[in-house]
Amino acid sequence: MEGLSTRKILWLAFMSIVTLTQIKAYPIDGYGITGIRRLMYLELILKGEIKGSMPISGAQKELREIKLSLFDTSKGDSLSTIPSIDPALQKSINALFPNLDESYSISLLDI
């Protein structure tokens, strides 16, 4: 993150969150793992048990169909550990989301 100000990092984090919440691409059969009720709703639509708009083709994939490109590679080794908390960055993030419910989380991507 060298050369990036905290403000730029927070902006990137915010834009990532907005983008990811609009994609809505979880495995269609992911309700049992994630507890996300929307996935159960979409699964019932696909099964024809309830009426509703069909999700886009990419959102109809099952967990077994999704392959993470860095999983089990030398470049993906950083996925097994969580970096230590940066107090200044955490304070800035908390200031962006002062009333964030504990059921929500955010991810910060270092590009």
Side-chain angles (χ1 to χ4, degrees), residues 32-77:
I33 295 169
T34 65
I36 299 172
R37 290 183 301 243
R38 178 177 45 79
L39 297 178
M40 176 59 75
Y41 171 76
L42 292 174
E43 191 173 353
L44 293 174
I45 290 172
L46 281 177
K47 290 179 180 178
E49 295 180 21
I50 61 174
K51 290 185 179 187
S53 298
M54 291 292 279
I56 60 172
S57 60
Q60 295 180 24
K61 292 188 181 277
E62 295 180 359
L63 188 57
R64 64 181 170 74
E65 297 176 278
I66 297 172
K67 303 294 181 234
L68 300 176
S69 60
L70 291 179
F71 184 73
D72 244 1
T73 68
S74 61
K75 290 183 179 182
D77 64 349

Side-chain angles (χ1 to χ4, degrees), residues 1 6 9-10 13 82-98 100 104-108:
M1 289 195 234
T6 301
I9 292 169
L10 292 175
I82 297 174
S84 59
I85 295 173
D86 178 333
L89 179 59
Q90 186 65 52
K91 184 177 179 181
S92 297
I93 291 171
N94 291 345
L96 278 176
F97 307 102
L100 186 66
Y104 287 91
S105 62
I106 66 167
S107 296
L108 181 62

Side-chain angles (χ1 to χ4, degrees), residues 13-26 38 107:
F14 176 75
M15 291 308 295
S16 297
I17 293 167
V18 169
T19 302
L20 291 175
T21 57
Q22 291 179 10
I23 292 174
K24 299 179 183 178
Y26 289 94
R38 178 177 45 79
S107 296

